[in-house]
Amino acid sequence: MKEKVMQIFEHLHAHGEVSWKEIETTNYLVALFEEAGFQPKRFQNCPGFSVEVSSGSPKVGLRADMDALWQEVNGEMKANHSCGHDAHMAIVTGVMHKLKEIGDIGGTVRAVFQPAEELGNGSLSVIQEGVIDDLDYFYGVHLRPFDEMAFPNCAQGIQHGSCVFVKGQIGGLDHHGARPHKGVNAIEVAASIVHHLGLTYTDPHVAATVKMTNLHAGTENFNIIPGKATFGLDLRAQTNAVMDELQHQVKTVCAQLSAMHQVPIDIEFFDYVPAAAVNEEAAALMAQSIEHVLGCPALPTIVTPGADDFHFYTIERPHLKATMLGLGADVTPGLHDPYMLFNHEAIFNGIEILTDVCLRTLQREKESAV
């Protein structure tokens, strides 16, 4: 099985596809599951699919994200799995095959292969497919960087932060460089936005940042003062409540500067990703499985400034008891680095831990029902 899993991983790694275009990835995995006697069900309105092992209640879900990032690697622009989604797919595939070998596992385990995690909204499309509505527990997995935890340590949960982006436009008119009093300099307005955002404050106990990450203004003519500009903001907060406050402050800053400079400043929030809501019961079960498999205690839920759209599942379906396995893999130099590397042995730790937690959860739910 180890050799087969590595073949799957290597194929997925070599054939990455970006968000919403995971067509061949879906085809490859669907064919693989069909050959093994599974009955995968493709999603109707997006790439991806679900596949089950065994039947009946209780029901446990596993999420594997499928998309790669578009990056320059060795001078070539390509779809690149620098976030470990190729490993996540290989892990969940391995789990499903192990569970199938067991036979009757006392309930249902459903794997969900999800598109477009990197855009922060793929999970919402999966939710609309209805494939998680009847699940009781839902588990995810993500490789972790070496400076967050060393291989083979694993964490019972990942406390991702919230993230949202802003597209902004300053809507003035161009005017002559010799007559700055005739209009508003959009670059100076953008500088005012940066300055005032730097003066926004939220609860210092909760990590939060807002910064301008994109700005376009002016032409090749240096004697024209640009009245128009477009800009982008990146907002991060460790909790959803602080993210709400941060968005309110951005709206306030832009509205006040619009009035002060007498120029339209239009903003649009997009690709919102919520902060994690880790379920204590799910995390406790994950911790037991980590200790059982690795022979050492699980690390507590780790706090990370990154974001993951996995957490839309629990926001949209509050009944779900969910957590993500923080899988120690010695990722270097880091996630999203175009030359990301990790310890491949982590794949097999992930398979063993997630297999164990699925069986453990089903048994726990059966005992509770009695």
Side-chain angles (χ1 to χ4, degrees):
M1 181 177 179
K2 190 170 185 178
E3 181 179 353
K4 178 64 175 177
V5 168
M6 284 309 300
Q7 289 175 355
I8 294 169
F9 166 75
E10 290 166 0
H11 176 93
L12 294 169
H13 183 77
H15 298 85
E17 295 176 297
V18 297
S19 302
W20 300 122
K21 297 183 179 180
E22 306 95 331
I23 306 300
E24 293 307 316
T25 301
T26 300
N27 291 340
Y28 169 77
L29 289 170
V30 165
L32 188 149
F33 276 105
E34 288 176 340
E35 290 170 6
F38 292 86
Q39 296 180 320
K41 298 179 180 178
R42 294 174 183 265
F43 297 145
Q44 296 299 307
N45 300 301
C46 62
F49 65 99
S50 64
V51 60
E52 292 184 353
V53 63
S54 198
S55 61
S57 294
K59 297 182 178 181
V60 175
L62 296 172
R63 194 285 294 262
D65 30 17
M66 301 169 62
D67 52 333
L69 291 158
W70 188 251
Q71 293 181 305
E72 182 178 340
V73 183
N74 295 322
E76 175 190 0
M77 295 301 298
K78 60 184 293 187
N80 184 40
H81 274 299
S82 60
C83 203
H85 295 183
D86 45 2
H88 303 165
M89 289 185 281
I91 289 168
V92 173
T93 299
V95 172
M96 296 301 286
H97 281 72
K98 282 182 69 71
L99 292 173
K100 190 173 189 298
E101 290 177 1
I102 295 172
D104 183 7
I105 56 176
T108 302
V109 173
R110 180 181 303 147
V112 175
F113 288 82
Q114 176 208 304
E117 186 280 326
E118 296 295 353
L119 293 184
N121 52 18
S123 59
L124 291 173
S125 294
V126 171
I127 290 167
Q128 293 172 3
E129 296 282 336
V131 297
I132 68 162
D133 291 350
D134 59 344
L135 296 178
D136 302 298
Y137 284 78
F138 203 37
Y139 295 112
V141 58
H142 208 300
L143 305 182
R144 305 317 304 163
F146 77 100
D147 55 357
E148 196 170 82
M149 67 177 70
F151 173 88
N153 292 303
C154 293
Q156 64 181 18
I158 305 175
Q159 184 65 54
H160 284 103
S162 177
C163 173
V164 69
F165 304 129
V166 174
K167 293 178 182 176
Q169 180 169 323
I170 300 164
L173 296 174
D174 292 353
H175 48 292
H176 199 293
R179 299 173 179 84
H181 61 293
K182 292 291 188 179
V184 175
N185 188 332
I187 295 175
E188 292 175 352
V189 175
S192 292
I193 294 173
V194 172
H195 174 71
H196 283 84
L197 290 179
L199 298 175
T200 60
Y201 297 103
T202 55
D203 183 349
H205 298 95
V206 180
T209 65
V210 54
K211 55 275 180 191
M212 188 172 289
T213 54
N214 183 283
L215 177 63
H216 295 275
T219 67
E220 295 182 0
N221 299 107
F222 289 3
N223 62 343
I224 296 177
I225 298 174
K228 295 183 182 293
T230 61
F231 62 91
L233 305 177
D234 175 286
L235 283 66
R236 306 272 170 166
Q238 206 61 53
T239 68
N240 293 318
V242 171
M243 174 56 79
D244 291 342
E245 183 181 349
L246 208 57
Q247 290 185 71
H248 173 72
Q249 293 199 28
V250 168
K251 293 176 184 177
T252 300
V253 165
C254 290
Q256 291 178 344
L257 290 177
S258 175
M260 185 176 76
H261 291 285
Q262 296 184 327
V263 64
I265 302 177
D266 299 315
I267 60 173
E268 172 192 357
F269 293 88
F270 70 102
D271 280 354
Y272 168 73
V273 180
V278 178
N279 178 267
E280 291 184 2
E281 292 180 52
L285 289 165
M286 185 69 77
Q288 294 169 21
S289 292
I290 291 170
E291 183 165 1
H292 177 74
V293 170
L294 300 182
C296 60
L299 298 180
T301 296
I302 55 172
V303 177
T304 177
D308 196 297
D309 76 346
F310 178 80
H311 309 298
F312 270 125
Y313 291 113
T314 51
I315 286 180
E316 296 294 321
R317 299 294 183 268
H319 73 278
L320 273 181
K321 298 176 181 179
T323 190
M324 293 186 75
L325 168 64
L327 186 61
D330 283 348
V331 172
T332 57
L335 295 170
H336 288 206
D337 188 286
Y339 303 102
M340 185 272 269
L341 298 172
F342 71 97
N343 187 332
H344 291 173
E345 288 300 315
I347 292 175
F348 304 100
N349 285 348
I351 291 173
E352 295 299 330
I353 292 168
L354 289 181
T355 300
D356 188 274
V357 79
C358 286
L359 296 172
R360 188 178 299 273
T361 303
L362 293 174
Q363 181 63 29
R364 155 78 179 274
E365 289 299 289
K366 284 286 188 182
E367 293 173 354
S368 299
V370 176

